[in-house]
PDB file of all heavy atoms in Angstrom:
ATOM      1  N   TRP A   1      82.050  40.228 188.344  1.00  0.00           N
ATOM      2  CA  TRP A   1      81.951  41.680 188.510  1.00  0.00           C
ATOM      3  C   TRP A   1      81.596  42.276 187.170  1.00  0.00           C
ATOM      4  O   TRP A   1      81.282  41.562 186.225  1.00  0.00           O
ATOM      5  CB  TRP A   1      83.293  42.201 189.059  1.00  0.00           C
ATOM      6  CG  TRP A   1      83.298  43.620 189.578  1.00  0.00           C
ATOM      7  CD1 TRP A   1      84.100  44.616 189.156  1.00  0.00           C
ATOM      8  CD2 TRP A   1      82.445  44.185 190.588  1.00  0.00           C
ATOM      9  NE1 TRP A   1      83.836  45.781 189.857  1.00  0.00           N
ATOM     10  CE2 TRP A   1      82.818  45.538 190.741  1.00  0.00           C
ATOM     11  CE3 TRP A   1      81.408  43.680 191.385  1.00  0.00           C
ATOM     12  CZ2 TRP A   1      82.190  46.397 191.653  1.00  0.00           C
ATOM     13  CZ3 TRP A   1      80.795  44.531 192.311  1.00  0.00           C
ATOM     14  CH2 TRP A   1      81.179  45.868 192.407  1.00  0.00           C
ATOM     15  N   ARG A   2      81.669  43.589 187.090  1.00  0.00           N
ATOM     16  CA  ARG A   2      81.342  44.245 185.832  1.00  0.00           C
ATOM     17  C   ARG A   2      82.415  43.941 184.801  1.00  0.00           C
ATOM     18  O   ARG A   2      83.456  43.335 185.103  1.00  0.00           O
ATOM     19  CB  ARG A   2      81.227  45.747 186.050  1.00  0.00           C
ATOM     20  CG  ARG A   2      82.480  46.398 186.554  1.00  0.00           C
ATOM     21  CD  ARG A   2      82.200  47.807 187.029  1.00  0.00           C
ATOM     22  NE  ARG A   2      83.385  48.447 187.557  1.00  0.00           N
ATOM     23  CZ  ARG A   2      83.336  49.545 188.292  1.00  0.00           C
ATOM     24  NH1 ARG A   2      82.182  50.125 188.576  1.00  0.00           N
ATOM     25  NH2 ARG A   2      84.469  50.097 188.743  1.00  0.00           N
ATOM     26  N   LEU A   3      82.195  44.420 183.582  1.00  0.00           N
ATOM     27  CA  LEU A   3      83.150  44.146 182.505  1.00  0.00           C
ATOM     28  C   LEU A   3      84.396  44.972 182.685  1.00  0.00           C
ATOM     29  O   LEU A   3      84.397  46.204 182.463  1.00  0.00           O
ATOM     30  CB  LEU A   3      82.488  44.464 181.157  1.00  0.00           C
ATOM     31  CG  LEU A   3      81.313  43.573 180.764  1.00  0.00           C
ATOM     32  CD1 LEU A   3      80.723  44.028 179.444  1.00  0.00           C
ATOM     33  CD2 LEU A   3      81.727  42.125 180.684  1.00  0.00           C
ATOM     34  N   GLU A   4      85.479  44.296 183.085  1.00  0.00           N
ATOM     35  CA  GLU A   4      86.751  44.980 183.268  1.00  0.00           C
ATOM     36  C   GLU A   4      87.852  43.935 183.272  1.00  0.00           C
ATOM     37  O   GLU A   4      87.648  42.784 183.640  1.00  0.00           O
ATOM     38  CB  GLU A   4      86.752  45.785 184.563  1.00  0.00           C
ATOM     39  CG  GLU A   4      86.543  44.945 185.814  1.00  0.00           C
ATOM     40  CD  GLU A   4      86.543  45.793 187.089  1.00  0.00           C
ATOM     41  OE1 GLU A   4      86.117  46.967 187.065  1.00  0.00           O
ATOM     42  OE2 GLU A   4      86.999  45.275 188.130  1.00  0.00           O
ATOM     43  N   GLY A   5      89.057  44.352 182.911  1.00  0.00           N
ATOM     44  CA  GLY A   5      90.233  43.516 183.015  1.00  0.00           C
ATOM     45  C   GLY A   5      90.079  42.132 182.452  1.00  0.00           C
ATOM     46  O   GLY A   5      89.899  41.908 181.269  1.00  0.00           O
ATOM     47  N   LEU A   6      90.126  41.151 183.373  1.00  0.00           N
ATOM     48  CA  LEU A   6      90.164  39.758 182.973  1.00  0.00           C
ATOM     49  C   LEU A   6      88.874  39.253 182.333  1.00  0.00           C
ATOM     50  O   LEU A   6      88.884  38.225 181.630  1.00  0.00           O
ATOM     51  CB  LEU A   6      90.497  38.896 184.203  1.00  0.00           C
ATOM     52  CG  LEU A   6      91.004  37.477 183.939  1.00  0.00           C
ATOM     53  CD1 LEU A   6      92.254  37.490 183.074  1.00  0.00           C
ATOM     54  CD2 LEU A   6      91.268  36.750 185.241  1.00  0.00           C
ATOM     55  N   SER A   7      87.770  39.964 182.515  1.00  0.00           N
ATOM     56  CA  SER A   7      86.535  39.513 181.859  1.00  0.00           C
ATOM     57  C   SER A   7      86.650  39.600 180.350  1.00  0.00           C
ATOM     58  O   SER A   7      85.795  39.069 179.619  1.00  0.00           O
ATOM     59  CB  SER A   7      85.340  40.330 182.361  1.00  0.00           C
ATOM     60  OG  SER A   7      85.514  41.706 182.149  1.00  0.00           O
ATOM     61  N   ALA A   8      87.718  40.231 179.855  1.00  0.00           N
ATOM     62  CA  ALA A   8      87.951  40.274 178.407  1.00  0.00           C
ATOM     63  C   ALA A   8      88.076  38.896 177.827  1.00  0.00           C
ATOM     64  O   ALA A   8      87.788  38.667 176.625  1.00  0.00           O
ATOM     65  CB  ALA A   8      89.201  41.094 178.097  1.00  0.00           C
ATOM     66  N   LEU A   9      88.520  37.912 178.605  1.00  0.00           N
ATOM     67  CA  LEU A   9      88.662  36.561 178.058  1.00  0.00           C
ATOM     68  C   LEU A   9      87.306  35.997 177.655  1.00  0.00           C
ATOM     69  O   LEU A   9      87.208  35.233 176.651  1.00  0.00           O
ATOM     70  CB  LEU A   9      89.384  35.634 179.040  1.00  0.00           C
ATOM     71  CG  LEU A   9      88.580  34.956 180.168  1.00  0.00           C
ATOM     72  CD1 LEU A   9      88.109  33.579 179.743  1.00  0.00           C
ATOM     73  CD2 LEU A   9      89.404  34.860 181.433  1.00  0.00           C
ATOM     74  N   PHE A  10      86.252  36.309 178.383  1.00  0.00           N
ATOM     75  CA  PHE A  10      84.910  35.861 178.009  1.00  0.00           C
ATOM     76  C   PHE A  10      84.401  36.584 176.781  1.00  0.00           C
ATOM     77  O   PHE A  10      83.783  35.984 175.913  1.00  0.00           O
ATOM     78  CB  PHE A  10      83.956  36.093 179.190  1.00  0.00           C
ATOM     79  CG  PHE A  10      84.309  35.310 180.426  1.00  0.00           C
ATOM     80  CD1 PHE A  10      85.156  35.830 181.394  1.00  0.00           C
ATOM     81  CD2 PHE A  10      83.805  34.042 180.616  1.00  0.00           C
ATOM     82  CE1 PHE A  10      85.504  35.115 182.518  1.00  0.00           C
ATOM     83  CE2 PHE A  10      84.127  33.311 181.749  1.00  0.00           C
ATOM     84  CZ  PHE A  10      84.982  33.848 182.704  1.00  0.00           C
ATOM     85  N   LEU A  11      84.697  37.892 176.701  1.00  0.00           N
ATOM     86  CA  LEU A  11      84.295  38.641 175.525  1.00  0.00           C
ATOM     87  C   LEU A  11      85.040  38.166 174.285  1.00  0.00           C
ATOM     88  O   LEU A  11      84.467  38.099 173.190  1.00  0.00           O
ATOM     89  CB  LEU A  11      84.559  40.127 175.761  1.00  0.00           C
ATOM     90  CG  LEU A  11      83.913  40.766 176.991  1.00  0.00           C
ATOM     91  CD1 LEU A  11      84.153  42.276 176.985  1.00  0.00           C
ATOM     92  CD2 LEU A  11      82.433  40.456 177.060  1.00  0.00           C
ATOM     93  N   ALA A  12      86.327  37.832 174.435  1.00  0.00           N
ATOM     94  CA  ALA A  12      87.086  37.352 173.293  1.00  0.00           C
ATOM     95  C   ALA A  12      86.510  36.035 172.785  1.00  0.00           C
ATOM     96  O   ALA A  12      86.448  35.819 171.562  1.00  0.00           O
ATOM     97  CB  ALA A  12      88.559  37.155 173.699  1.00  0.00           C
ATOM     98  N   ALA A  13      86.096  35.181 173.702  1.00  0.00           N
ATOM     99  CA  ALA A  13      85.497  33.903 173.267  1.00  0.00           C
ATOM    100  C   ALA A  13      84.211  34.140 172.469  1.00  0.00           C
ATOM    101  O   ALA A  13      83.881  33.347 171.580  1.00  0.00           O
ATOM    102  CB  ALA A  13      85.205  33.021 174.492  1.00  0.00           C
ATOM    103  N   GLN A  14      83.492  35.239 172.766  1.00  0.00           N
ATOM    104  CA  GLN A  14      82.324  35.603 171.989  1.00  0.00           C
ATOM    105  C   GLN A  14      82.701  36.216 170.652  1.00  0.00           C
ATOM    106  O   GLN A  14      82.297  35.739 169.589  1.00  0.00           O
ATOM    107  CB  GLN A  14      81.444  36.588 172.761  1.00  0.00           C
ATOM    108  CG  GLN A  14      80.513  35.982 173.775  1.00  0.00           C
ATOM    109  CD  GLN A  14      79.508  36.978 174.283  1.00  0.00           C
ATOM    110  OE1 GLN A  14      79.757  38.187 174.261  1.00  0.00           O
ATOM    111  NE2 GLN A  14      78.389  36.500 174.747  1.00  0.00           N
ATOM    112  N   GLU A  15      83.456  37.312 170.711  1.00  0.00           N
ATOM    113  CA  GLU A  15      83.736  38.085 169.489  1.00  0.00           C
ATOM    114  C   GLU A  15      84.528  37.310 168.475  1.00  0.00           C
ATOM    115  O   GLU A  15      84.352  37.521 167.269  1.00  0.00           O
ATOM    116  CB  GLU A  15      84.459  39.378 169.863  1.00  0.00           C
ATOM    117  CG  GLU A  15      83.597  40.394 170.553  1.00  0.00           C
ATOM    118  CD  GLU A  15      84.106  41.814 170.405  1.00  0.00           C
ATOM    119  OE1 GLU A  15      85.140  42.009 169.719  1.00  0.00           O
ATOM    120  OE2 GLU A  15      83.486  42.717 170.979  1.00  0.00           O
ATOM    121  N   LYS A  16      85.392  36.438 168.919  1.00  0.00           N
ATOM    122  CA  LYS A  16      86.200  35.635 167.975  1.00  0.00           C
ATOM    123  C   LYS A  16      85.491  34.375 167.500  1.00  0.00           C
ATOM    124  O   LYS A  16      86.027  33.632 166.702  1.00  0.00           O
ATOM    125  CB  LYS A  16      87.531  35.259 168.623  1.00  0.00           C
ATOM    126  CG  LYS A  16      88.438  36.447 168.946  1.00  0.00           C
ATOM    127  CD  LYS A  16      88.872  37.159 167.670  1.00  0.00           C
ATOM    128  CE  LYS A  16      89.764  38.351 167.959  1.00  0.00           C
ATOM    129  NZ  LYS A  16      90.209  39.001 166.708  1.00  0.00           N
ATOM    130  N   GLY A  17      84.260  34.153 167.986  1.00  0.00           N
ATOM    131  CA  GLY A  17      83.489  33.009 167.547  1.00  0.00           C
ATOM    132  C   GLY A  17      83.872  31.693 168.179  1.00  0.00           C
ATOM    133  O   GLY A  17      83.483  30.635 167.702  1.00  0.00           O
ATOM    134  N   TYR A  18      84.646  31.733 169.291  1.00  0.00           N
ATOM    135  CA  TYR A  18      85.073  30.483 169.912  1.00  0.00           C
ATOM    136  C   TYR A  18      83.904  29.733 170.538  1.00  0.00           C
ATOM    137  O   TYR A  18      83.851  28.489 170.490  1.00  0.00           O
ATOM    138  CB  TYR A  18      86.136  30.742 170.972  1.00  0.00           C
ATOM    139  CG  TYR A  18      87.374  31.468 170.438  1.00  0.00           C
ATOM    140  CD1 TYR A  18      88.156  32.261 171.269  1.00  0.00           C
ATOM    141  CD2 TYR A  18      87.762  31.342 169.106  1.00  0.00           C
ATOM    142  CE1 TYR A  18      89.273  32.912 170.796  1.00  0.00           C
ATOM    143  CE2 TYR A  18      88.896  32.006 168.623  1.00  0.00           C
ATOM    144  CZ  TYR A  18      89.624  32.795 169.470  1.00  0.00           C
ATOM    145  OH  TYR A  18      90.744  33.445 169.010  1.00  0.00           O
ATOM    146  N   PHE A  19      82.977  30.453 171.150  1.00  0.00           N
ATOM    147  CA  PHE A  19      81.781  29.806 171.670  1.00  0.00           C
ATOM    148  C   PHE A  19      80.973  29.179 170.517  1.00  0.00           C
ATOM    149  O   PHE A  19      80.512  28.038 170.602  1.00  0.00           O
ATOM    150  CB  PHE A  19      80.890  30.791 172.420  1.00  0.00           C
ATOM    151  CG  PHE A  19      81.420  31.243 173.751  1.00  0.00           C
ATOM    152  CD1 PHE A  19      81.238  32.561 174.172  1.00  0.00           C
ATOM    153  CD2 PHE A  19      82.062  30.374 174.600  1.00  0.00           C
ATOM    154  CE1 PHE A  19      81.702  32.996 175.384  1.00  0.00           C
ATOM    155  CE2 PHE A  19      82.545  30.807 175.839  1.00  0.00           C
ATOM    156  CZ  PHE A  19      82.370  32.117 176.217  1.00  0.00           C
ATOM    157  N   GLY A  20      80.814  29.963 169.459  1.00  0.00           N
ATOM    158  CA  GLY A  20      80.041  29.477 168.320  1.00  0.00           C
ATOM    159  C   GLY A  20      80.657  28.254 167.687  1.00  0.00           C
ATOM    160  O   GLY A  20      79.947  27.328 167.279  1.00  0.00           O
ATOM    161  N   ALA A  21      81.977  28.209 167.633  1.00  0.00           N
ATOM    162  CA  ALA A  21      82.675  27.083 167.055  1.00  0.00           C
ATOM    163  C   ALA A  21      82.415  25.813 167.853  1.00  0.00           C
ATOM    164  O   ALA A  21      82.533  24.668 167.313  1.00  0.00           O
ATOM    165  CB  ALA A  21      84.166  27.339 166.965  1.00  0.00           C
ATOM    166  N   GLU A  22      82.061  25.944 169.128  1.00  0.00           N
ATOM    167  CA  GLU A  22      81.766  24.799 169.989  1.00  0.00           C
ATOM    168  C   GLU A  22      80.265  24.494 170.029  1.00  0.00           C
ATOM    169  O   GLU A  22      79.809  23.636 170.785  1.00  0.00           O
ATOM    170  CB  GLU A  22      82.278  25.060 171.415  1.00  0.00           C
ATOM    171  CG  GLU A  22      83.764  25.257 171.520  1.00  0.00           C
ATOM    172  CD  GLU A  22      84.567  23.991 171.298  1.00  0.00           C
ATOM    173  OE1 GLU A  22      83.935  22.889 171.236  1.00  0.00           O
ATOM    174  OE2 GLU A  22      85.811  24.075 171.147  1.00  0.00           O
ATOM    175  N   GLY A  23      79.471  25.224 169.203  1.00  0.00           N
ATOM    176  CA  GLY A  23      78.024  25.013 169.198  1.00  0.00           C
ATOM    177  C   GLY A  23      77.324  25.565 170.431  1.00  0.00           C
ATOM    178  O   GLY A  23      76.319  24.982 170.879  1.00  0.00           O
ATOM    179  N   LEU A  24      77.825  26.675 170.974  1.00  0.00           N
ATOM    180  CA  LEU A  24      77.265  27.238 172.166  1.00  0.00           C
ATOM    181  C   LEU A  24      76.673  28.631 171.908  1.00  0.00           C
ATOM    182  O   LEU A  24      77.218  29.411 171.120  1.00  0.00           O
ATOM    183  CB  LEU A  24      78.341  27.383 173.251  1.00  0.00           C
ATOM    184  CG  LEU A  24      79.153  26.135 173.601  1.00  0.00           C
ATOM    185  CD1 LEU A  24      80.242  26.490 174.623  1.00  0.00           C
ATOM    186  CD2 LEU A  24      78.256  25.024 174.124  1.00  0.00           C
ATOM    187  N   ASP A  25      75.573  28.922 172.538  1.00  0.00           N
ATOM    188  CA  ASP A  25      74.961  30.252 172.530  1.00  0.00           C
ATOM    189  C   ASP A  25      75.084  30.813 173.926  1.00  0.00           C
ATOM    190  O   ASP A  25      74.264  30.533 174.795  1.00  0.00           O
ATOM    191  CB  ASP A  25      73.488  30.151 172.092  1.00  0.00           C
ATOM    192  CG  ASP A  25      72.748  31.478 172.243  1.00  0.00           C
ATOM    193  OD1 ASP A  25      73.413  32.523 172.173  1.00  0.00           O
ATOM    194  OD2 ASP A  25      71.522  31.441 172.464  1.00  0.00           O
ATOM    195  N   VAL A  26      76.158  31.563 174.174  1.00  0.00           N
ATOM    196  CA  VAL A  26      76.480  32.029 175.522  1.00  0.00           C
ATOM    197  C   VAL A  26      76.051  33.492 175.692  1.00  0.00           C
ATOM    198  O   VAL A  26      76.409  34.356 174.917  1.00  0.00           O
ATOM    199  CB  VAL A  26      77.975  31.899 175.803  1.00  0.00           C
ATOM    200  CG1 VAL A  26      78.298  32.415 177.205  1.00  0.00           C
ATOM    201  CG2 VAL A  26      78.426  30.451 175.664  1.00  0.00           C
ATOM    202  N   VAL A  27      75.242  33.731 176.734  1.00  0.00           N
ATOM    203  CA  VAL A  27      74.852  35.088 177.123  1.00  0.00           C
ATOM    204  C   VAL A  27      75.557  35.393 178.434  1.00  0.00           C
ATOM    205  O   VAL A  27      75.449  34.631 179.381  1.00  0.00           O
ATOM    206  CB  VAL A  27      73.338  35.210 177.278  1.00  0.00           C
ATOM    207  CG1 VAL A  27      72.969  36.587 177.858  1.00  0.00           C
ATOM    208  CG2 VAL A  27      72.615  34.985 175.955  1.00  0.00           C
ATOM    209  N   ILE A  28      76.287  36.496 178.472  1.00  0.00           N
ATOM    210  CA  ILE A  28      77.080  36.859 179.619  1.00  0.00           C
ATOM    211  C   ILE A  28      76.437  38.020 180.359  1.00  0.00           C
ATOM    212  O   ILE A  28      75.964  38.977 179.723  1.00  0.00           O
ATOM    213  CB  ILE A  28      78.509  37.266 179.179  1.00  0.00           C
ATOM    214  CG1 ILE A  28      79.198  36.116 178.449  1.00  0.00           C
ATOM    215  CG2 ILE A  28      79.340  37.701 180.373  1.00  0.00           C
ATOM    216  CD1 ILE A  28      80.488  36.514 177.789  1.00  0.00           C
ATOM    217  N   GLU A  29      76.405  37.942 181.676  1.00  0.00           N
ATOM    218  CA  GLU A  29      75.880  39.066 182.463  1.00  0.00           C
ATOM    219  C   GLU A  29      76.912  39.462 183.521  1.00  0.00           C
ATOM    220  O   GLU A  29      77.480  38.598 184.209  1.00  0.00           O
ATOM    221  CB  GLU A  29      74.558  38.708 183.139  1.00  0.00           C
ATOM    222  CG  GLU A  29      73.986  39.884 183.913  1.00  0.00           C
ATOM    223  CD  GLU A  29      72.537  39.681 184.330  1.00  0.00           C
ATOM    224  OE1 GLU A  29      71.811  38.972 183.608  1.00  0.00           O
ATOM    225  OE2 GLU A  29      72.153  40.235 185.358  1.00  0.00           O
ATOM    226  N   PRO A  30      77.147  40.761 183.704  1.00  0.00           N
ATOM    227  CA  PRO A  30      78.052  41.208 184.769  1.00  0.00           C
ATOM    228  C   PRO A  30      77.499  40.818 186.138  1.00  0.00           C
ATOM    229  O   PRO A  30      76.287  40.699 186.327  1.00  0.00           O
ATOM    230  CB  PRO A  30      78.067  42.737 184.607  1.00  0.00           C
ATOM    231  CG  PRO A  30      77.628  42.960 183.183  1.00  0.00           C
ATOM    232  CD  PRO A  30      76.658  41.862 182.864  1.00  0.00           C
ATOM    233  N   GLY A  31      78.405  40.618 187.091  1.00  0.00           N
ATOM    234  CA  GLY A  31      78.006  40.244 188.423  1.00  0.00           C
ATOM    235  C   GLY A  31      78.201  41.340 189.445  1.00  0.00           C
ATOM    236  O   GLY A  31      78.573  42.472 189.103  1.00  0.00           O
ATOM    237  N   VAL A  32      77.980  41.016 190.698  1.00  0.00           N
ATOM    238  CA  VAL A  32      78.100  41.992 191.783  1.00  0.00           C
ATOM    239  C   VAL A  32      78.994  41.476 192.903  1.00  0.00           C
ATOM    240  O   VAL A  32      78.877  41.876 194.043  1.00  0.00           O
ATOM    241  CB  VAL A  32      76.709  42.383 192.337  1.00  0.00           C
ATOM    242  CG1 VAL A  32      75.928  43.162 191.320  1.00  0.00           C
ATOM    243  CG2 VAL A  32      75.931  41.145 192.789  1.00  0.00           C
ATOM    244  N   GLY A  33      79.885  40.529 192.558  1.00  0.00           N
ATOM    245  CA  GLY A  33      80.795  39.982 193.557  1.00  0.00           C
ATOM    246  C   GLY A  33      81.031  38.501 193.326  1.00  0.00           C
ATOM    247  O   GLY A  33      80.087  37.747 193.087  1.00  0.00           O
ATOM    248  N   SER A  34      82.298  38.081 193.427  1.00  0.00           N
ATOM    249  CA  SER A  34      82.636  36.697 193.112  1.00  0.00           C
ATOM    250  C   SER A  34      82.077  35.708 194.120  1.00  0.00           C
ATOM    251  O   SER A  34      81.821  34.550 193.791  1.00  0.00           O
ATOM    252  CB  SER A  34      84.172  36.541 193.036  1.00  0.00           C
ATOM    253  OG  SER A  34      84.776  36.905 194.261  1.00  0.00           O
TER     254      SER A  34
END
């Protein structure tokens, strides 16, 4: 879904560099239903 609530865990992995630390270039897009 859009950026809200629990999607913060994905944003945290970006902003804190956790994806980068694993050698990943992750692009996140909001969805329209699970």
Side-chain angles (χ1 to χ4, degrees):
W1 192 236
R2 61 192 178 195
L3 294 178
E4 60 180 33
L6 198 58
S7 57
L9 82 93
F10 297 89
L11 305 186
Q14 278 192 334
E15 288 203 2
K16 296 296 180 178
Y18 303 152
F19 287 143
E22 298 289 350
L24 306 176
D25 171 27
V26 179
V27 173
I28 301 170
E29 182 166 331
V32 292
S34 60

